[in-house]
Amino acid sequence: MRILIFGVAPWVKTAYGKNTRDLMSFLRDFDVDVASYYGHHGTEMRVGSSRVFPCYESFNELPEWIEYYVQGTGADMVLQHFDIWVLPEGWIEEISVPVVTYAPVDCEPMHYKQAACSRGAVMNVAMSKFAQRAFAQAGMPNVYIPH
């Protein structure tokens, strides 16, 4: 299975960068590539057996880049990991493979933008019990996997 992580570059010195590195390590039994919306400009780079791709332009154009990399890599799924509400609503519909979201929920009730940007995912990973309840209340599939 080939997984495309949609997040920040693994060398970014933030929590999301650390999580990208950790996800790459935890998923080492799969073919993993990274489409980085932050922390990488230029051309494809390698980190071990993984490729790290840059994404350009605005958040509204990111779904087009992700689909471009899905097609180019033959990814079987996309694992999104950052604050999802920055993406355009309905972005998941533009992706031709299953999408799993892994984004924090930080308000109650779940903000309409977060719900609109998470809808359509085959699974929403909840980082906390609070997030798990919020996804459940919004009627979205979820699984609790704490950091």
Side-chain angles (χ1 to χ4, degrees):
M1 173 178 262
R2 181 168 295 283
I3 300 170
L4 182 64
I5 298 173
F6 178 21
V8 304
W11 49 79
V12 172
K13 302 291 186 204
T14 66
Y16 282 127
K18 179 188 180 310
N19 289 347
T20 299
R21 287 189 304 279
D22 288 347
L23 286 167
M24 292 170 74
S25 175
F26 297 148
L27 298 171
R28 67 183 162 271
D29 292 339
F30 301 95
D31 294 320
V32 177
D33 293 316
V34 177
S36 56
Y37 77 91
Y38 177 80
H40 179 45
H41 297 286
T43 61
E44 170 187 325
M45 294 181 70
R46 287 228 171 238
V47 174
S49 61
S50 297
R51 296 172 291 180
V52 180
F53 304 105
C55 291
Y56 299 103
E57 308 305 328
S58 72
F59 281 106
N60 287 330
E61 294 170 349
L62 284 175
E64 294 171 23
W65 279 104
I66 299 310
E67 182 58 24
Y68 173 79
Y69 290 130
V70 163
Q71 296 301 315
T73 64
D76 298 301
M77 68 166 283
V78 171
L79 174 59
Q80 174 277 334
H81 182 53
F82 57 91
D83 293 316
I84 199 167
W85 53 265
V86 300
L87 292 168
E89 294 179 24
W91 74 276
I92 292 173
E93 297 168 7
E94 298 180 39
I95 310 303
S96 61
V97 295
V99 173
V100 173
T101 73
Y102 184 31
V105 175
D106 53 9
C107 61
E108 185 177 27
M110 180 186 290
H111 193 273
Y112 82 91
K113 182 77 162 132
Q114 172 136 21
C117 292
S118 301
R119 216 167 289 293
V122 295
M123 187 58 61
N124 296 281
V125 177
M127 303 175 192
S128 66
K129 291 289 187 178
F130 170 82
Q132 185 179 35
R133 283 190 304 276
F135 281 120
Q137 289 171 349
M140 289 187 263
N142 66 83
V143 61
Y144 171 59
I145 305 175
H147 286 302

